Amino acid sequence: MKKLLTLFLSESSRAIAVAFINFFSAVFIFKLLTGFGFSDRVALASVFGFNLACFIFKFAANFLAEELSLRHGLKKSLSLGGFLLIVCLSLLVLAGRHPVFLLLSAVFLGLGSAFYWFGYHSALVKNSETNSFGINVGNAGILRAFLLLTAPLLGGALASLGGFPLLFLAALFFACLSLFFTQLMSEKRTHYDTSFKEVVGLLKRHRWAALAYMGNSAVGDAYVAAVPLTVYFSLGHE
């Protein structure tokens, strides 16, 4: 557990930063685009477009993450994922100047997620004993859940005090903290090059598990986009 502590702290810090994006980006995008003069329909479409762009680039970058980890180690993949999240949040801070920053932030969020999560899961496997992997996953989930309990309340308080720029600056702090913990980790490498054909074959052999995983991801993305906007509209846009 001790050698996984920095990995868990890195992921938990990142989870808070990403939670600020997930809980508040839909309302932020809608208000920003309607403020620029776009119609409600275009603004709503852009909310879902943001999440779709993030998903597409996350999926595409998984194979790049695997190649980077194979050549340069898992810490490099984790660090690049952390850096790209910082870029994403910086673009969200700048998005008030021009809406094109929204699209760029979605791209970097998706890329960063792919590099970080490939490195995270691989490092978790590499640093876990065979008979303790499940325990380590559970410990990581407990730590993450404990920290995420505060994310909606803290994010709402920050947005009320200083608006979305303050919220995203706070997310930047947690993203930088995550990258700091990543640098404290020891380097681990992967040694097996997985091909796209092997991945497709694995999905075919475990099709129901694959469908369940993708379905859960799709529901999560829809929840992130729809629920905050529903609350926003229900409370009269305030």
Side-chain angles (χ1 to χ4, degrees), residues 13 17 86 89 167-179:
S13 300
I86 290 172
L89 288 162
L167 174 71
F168 293 134
L169 285 173
L172 260 174
F173 167 78
F174 285 105
C176 291
L177 188 63
S178 172
L179 186 57

Side-chain angles (χ1 to χ4, degrees), residues 29-130:
I29 294 169
F30 182 84
K31 291 188 70 172
L32 181 69
L33 293 182
T34 52
F36 274 116
F38 291 97
S39 68
D40 287 2
R41 181 175 297 180
V42 171
L44 285 172
S46 298
V47 171
F48 289 96
F50 179 91
N51 288 283
L52 178 61
C54 178
F55 174 81
I56 290 172
F57 281 91
K58 178 181 178 181
F59 177 81
N62 268 296
F63 299 98
L64 296 176
E66 189 262 348
E67 188 67 23
L68 177 67
S69 298
L70 187 67
R71 291 173 178 265
H72 302 289
L74 299 172
K75 186 175 177 179
K76 295 293 190 301
S77 185
L78 284 161
S79 297
L80 180 57
F83 173 74
L84 292 173
L85 177 61
I86 290 172
V87 174
C88 163
L89 288 162
S90 301
L91 290 169
L92 287 174
V93 173
L94 295 172
R97 300 183 180 183
H98 198 286
V100 72
F101 290 120
L102 287 175
L103 176 59
L104 293 174
S105 66
V107 171
F108 283 105
L109 180 60
L111 293 174
S113 296
F115 283 104
Y116 187 87
W117 284 112
F118 186 93
Y120 173 82
H121 289 299
S122 299
L124 186 60
V125 172
K126 285 283 187 178
N127 286 286
S128 297
E129 301 293 336
T130 303

